[in-house]
Amino acid sequence: MDTKYYLTEVDKIPESIFCYHNLMGENFIESHSHNKGQFLYTEGGVVHIKTDSRTYYLPARHYMWIPPKTKHAIYPNSPKVIMRNLYFPLDAMTSDFYKNEAIYPINNLLLELLLYTKSWNGDVTNSQKNKYAIGIAFKALLEQTTSKSLHFELPHPKDRRLVAIINYLNKQIHEEHLLPQLASKFSMTNKTLYRLFKKDVGMSFIKYYTKLRIFKSLEYLMNSDYNISEIANKVGYNSLPTFSDTFRKIMDKRPSEYRKSKGVYLES
């Protein structure tokens, strides 16, 4: 079942649970939405999920919940990325958990159940009693076993000036950028640029820029042979300890620890 085909199939049977496990290759999935809620888990790399308002960075061994009717596009950063998707019908009485897009770490119970479904493809209906019961239990466990959501996302800028600045930061991520020099380059005062970040994306320049660098480093950690020091340099850090400490504050583990988890479940 190819990517474009499966997108047309998800909602064909409104009451079914739809399953899709696939190696992404070089593909990206264009902006679309479903009437069903989507559980998206990835292995082997980082996936960018772009909604109308922000870009999420979904690292391996985490999952994202995407509520019904949420427009989103999906961009894998590596041809090795595997996506595991389960789509669930939701009723009007569903809890707030299923109404909000968010990223969570996956726990062992959910992971074992998810891998149990890896041979499933397409619709699972209530006439398939055993499969359907497992699917419904999986959906309930998402809410019951969830931990705190992780803020692995950055809001999209709306102001054209800030769009240009953030595009520049992305292209020159290997350099260190300080607010005064950045303001000067784009013919602004320090105060104007500071206020622009706060007003448009709701966070300071430092916070936005720091998260951008760390999220970019995830891609190098998962899909390259660069050592940690080289990766630090590639996202503009001259100090390895500073990079490692900053990474831990955002990702809750050191970059070396994060890299050790690479590919653990790829052969499951």
Side-chain angles (χ1 to χ4, degrees):
M1 188 183 297
D2 66 42
T3 299
K4 289 187 177 180
Y5 177 73
Y6 101 81
L7 291 177
T8 67
E9 298 295 296
V10 170
D11 291 324
K12 274 197 171 179
I13 302 178
E15 66 277 11
S16 75
I17 298 169
F18 191 88
C19 307
Y20 185 68
H21 303 265
N22 191 44
L23 179 68
M24 285 294 293
E26 299 291 347
N27 296 323
F28 75 91
I29 300 176
E30 60 199 26
S31 185
H32 64 287
S33 63
H34 320 282
N35 294 328
K36 295 174 181 175
Q38 180 179 356
F39 167 94
L40 169 59
Y41 172 81
T42 62
E43 301 169 355
V46 178
V47 170
H48 300 172
I49 298 100
K50 295 186 178 182
T51 67
D52 288 340
S53 63
R54 60 196 64 236
T55 296
Y56 291 87
Y57 298 78
L58 179 62
R61 301 183 68 187
H62 293 75
Y63 73 89
M64 183 171 179
W65 176 258
I66 304 172
K69 302 185 186 300
T70 301
K71 288 192 69 174
H72 59 285
I74 301 174
Y75 301 81
N77 83 308
S78 164
K80 298 178 182 178
V81 168
I82 295 173
M83 291 202 319
R84 302 194 184 280
N85 301 274
L86 298 175
Y87 300 82
F88 297 96
L90 301 174
D91 57 40
M93 301 299 290
T94 191
S95 72
D96 287 344
F97 174 86
Y98 301 102
K99 297 176 183 177
N100 297 301
E101 57 199 54
I103 290 176
Y104 305 93
I106 197 164
N107 60 57
N108 289 335
L109 176 58
L110 283 174
L111 185 59
E112 289 300 321
L113 278 176
L114 178 64
L115 293 177
Y116 185 80
T117 75
K118 68 181 181 180
S119 63
W120 300 3
N121 198 22
D123 293 293
V124 174
T125 66
N126 56 12
S127 64
Q128 301 163 278
K129 292 183 179 179
N130 291 338
K131 285 186 177 180
Y132 193 77
I134 291 169
I136 292 299
F138 185 92
K139 172 178 166 286
L141 285 168
L142 290 180
E143 180 180 19
Q144 293 176 24
T145 65
T146 189
S147 54
K148 189 176 180 181
S149 64
L150 304 171
H151 294 289
F152 295 168
E153 80 269 3
L154 286 171
H156 296 162
K158 299 178 182 65
D159 189 292
R160 285 181 298 175
R161 295 170 296 172
L162 199 55
V163 170
I165 290 168
I166 288 174
N167 285 341
Y168 173 77
L169 291 174
N170 272 288
K171 290 176 182 176
Q172 303 297 326
I173 197 74
H174 59 284
E175 299 177 1
E176 184 175 18
H177 301 281
L178 302 176
L179 188 140
Q181 286 82 355
L182 196 62
S184 176
K185 179 175 179 62
F186 286 87
S187 303
M188 296 182 190
T189 66
N190 296 354
K191 186 177 291 186
T192 297
L193 183 55
Y194 177 83
R195 288 175 174 172
L196 186 58
F197 266 92
K198 292 289 283 187
K199 179 181 179 181
D200 196 347
V201 295
M203 64 181 74
S204 68
F205 162 74
I206 289 296
K207 184 173 182 180
Y208 191 101
Y209 178 46
T210 299
K211 292 181 78 170
L212 181 65
R213 297 161 92 184
I214 296 303
F215 293 155
K216 182 63 179 178
S217 76
L218 293 176
E219 300 178 18
Y220 289 119
L221 284 164
M222 294 301 295
N223 299 109
S224 78
D225 295 324
Y226 295 118
N227 62 42
I228 305 299
S229 182
E230 289 171 327
I231 291 171
N233 289 333
K234 283 189 168 294
V235 293
Y237 283 93
N238 296 319
S239 165
L240 178 56
T242 300
F243 168 66
S244 184
D245 288 344
T246 305
F247 189 99
R248 181 182 58 78
K249 287 176 183 176
I250 293 176
M251 300 300 299
D252 202 31
K253 60 179 66 176
R254 299 279 179 188
S256 56
E257 296 171 328
Y258 186 87
R259 171 168 263 179
K260 285 178 184 176
S261 68
K262 178 181 177 180
V264 169
Y265 296 111
L266 281 176
E267 303 303 324
S268 297

